[in-house]
Amino acid sequence: MTSPLPSSPPARSASVLDLAPVVPVVVLEDAADAVPLARALVAGGLPAIEVTLRTPAALDAIQAIAGAVPEAVVGAGTVITPGQVTECAAAGARFLVSPGWTEALLEAMRASGVPFLPGVSTTSEVVALLERGVREMKFFPAQAAGGTAYLKSLAGPLPQARFCPTGGIGPGNAPEYLALPNVGCVGGTWMVPADAVAAGDWGRIEALARAAAALRRRG
């Protein structure tokens, strides 16, 4: 990410990578679930929430969280076009996450003024972003692209790059990622299971979020 997050609580850090060890990756079918879900995640200690643009409800969900849960830092994930960058910024997204990047997408994200994490899976992509002044990135798909061994190998020659690995990460392997010096946080879905969201079981989600928030301390 290339610019600081807004200063309103709890975003005191300059980067979403430092807000919590885990960023929940959320897929919402119904925007009505957005606010209670966000409140449960924040109560569990996970203020940074990535709402993916995988459903028609995503933009409305981002707008709802931004308006009703000020203590949350809501972002947009699966951003793949410049048009989506504009829509997400207008909806109130406070950070943007892409699975990969192109020059056009990178230019749009930079121009938006919203902090962003462009996706990478190769050393060349990391070097290309560093060349363009971007030091914080999403590593995706983390497990399939080489996992902790790959990231550990990058830390030597490219120590200035920091990552949020996402893809194939759960409570079992998250501490291994979080122990790496070039990992700021990880992204995952395990604390927002679809059946719990569908049932409105916000207590279960809060408990899962609390366990996820404690992973760094245990790891």
Side-chain angles (χ1 to χ4, degrees), residues 30 33 40-41 61 64 81 91 102 104 146 148 200:
D30 187 346
D33 293 326
L41 292 170
T81 70
T102 64
T148 55

Side-chain angles (χ1 to χ4, degrees), residues 67-166:
V69 194
E71 61 271 35
V73 179
V74 62
T78 323
V79 178
I80 59 173
T81 70
Q84 288 176 332
V85 170
T86 301
E87 292 172 339
C88 293
R94 293 171 65 183
F95 64 94
L96 307 170
V97 184
S98 66
W101 65 279
T102 64
E103 292 290 355
L105 181 59
L106 189 66
E107 181 179 348
M109 290 193 293
R110 198 190 298 273
S112 74
V114 178
F116 58 90
L117 288 173
V120 297
S121 60
T122 69
T123 306
S124 293
E125 290 171 323
V126 175
V127 172
L129 285 176
L130 290 174
E131 225 176 50
R132 290 158 175 79
V134 179
R135 296 191 174 190
E136 298 187 350
M137 312 163 196
K138 171 179 178 173
F139 180 58
F140 176 82
Q143 281 292 96
T148 55
Y150 194 96
L151 286 171
K152 191 179 297 183
S153 297
L154 291 181
L158 302 171
Q160 64 272 53
R162 294 181 74 214
F163 302 94
C164 173
T166 304

